[in-house]
Structure formats: structure tokens, C-alpha cells
Amino acid sequence: LIDVLCNFPGDDRIFEQLLELFCQRREERALFASYLCKYGDERALSALKEALVDPDINYLDYIEICNAIEALGGQVEVQRDFTGDPYYESLRTMND
């Protein structure tokens, strides 16, 4: 249902629900970052940028959040080292 609602920008109820889910469902950050991106409301930038500095964030969530920030017109100013992160390591070994 959230995926469908993302096609109706301009409704603050939808935006607030997306933002709340992004903040609460930490295990699904990448998914809800993509929904915030699809919704297209730049008000989400502060929450997305704040999530980038969370020490518990994994590499895949980081990449998806970075993509959402850039798509919404923001700039990613936080570069992180994900050495040791299982997702990062599995992708890194694919490139070797």
C-alpha cells in the first residue's frame, strides 16, 4: 500500500507516515528510504542525512539512503568506511 501511496505527492499524511516508518523500522531503512525518494518531498532530507551517521547502519542501507538524498537534490557529505560489514565485504569480493 505504501508503494502505491508514494504516487500521490503533496499529502502531508502520506509524508508523515513514510517518515515515521523510515525512523521506526530501522531494519528496513533501505526500503523506506526508497519510498521517501519516490515520494519526492525534500523535507525528508534531514532525516535521511541523520540516518547516514548512525553507527548501526549497514552498507546497503547507506547506499540506498545516499541515492535517496541525491535524488531529492541533496548532497552526501558523509563518507564512511564499511570494512568488516558483511554486505560491503560480499560486494567487494565480487569486484576482485
Side-chain angles (χ1 to χ4, degrees):
L1 181 59
I2 293 292
D3 189 35
V4 173
L5 291 174
C6 288
N7 295 308
F8 300 97
D11 187 326
D12 282 342
R13 297 172 299 173
I14 297 170
F15 174 74
E16 292 299 327
Q17 184 66 47
L18 288 170
L19 197 57
E20 184 177 324
L21 289 168
F22 174 75
C23 293
Q24 288 180 350
R25 292 190 163 176
R26 300 169 76 82
E27 69 282 353
E28 297 177 287
R29 276 188 176 160
L31 175 65
F32 289 105
S34 70
Y35 287 152
L36 284 166
C37 177
K38 183 178 178 182
Y39 190 70
D41 193 321
E42 63 188 33
R43 292 180 295 170
L45 285 171
S46 62
L48 291 165
K49 287 181 177 183
E50 186 177 313
L52 285 182
V53 298
D54 183 343
D56 295 329
I57 195 171
N58 68 53
Y59 181 67
L60 294 180
D61 289 349
Y62 174 83
I63 294 299
E64 191 62 43
I65 293 168
C66 286
N67 290 339
I69 289 170
E70 291 172 352
L72 291 172
Q75 291 186 339
V76 176
E77 299 160 356
V78 175
Q79 300 298 318
R80 306 240 337 237
D81 178 15
F82 283 94
T83 303
D85 180 276
Y87 295 116
Y88 175 79
E89 295 298 334
S90 65
L91 292 172
R92 187 174 65 90
T93 57
M94 289 174 49
N95 292 326
D96 291 342

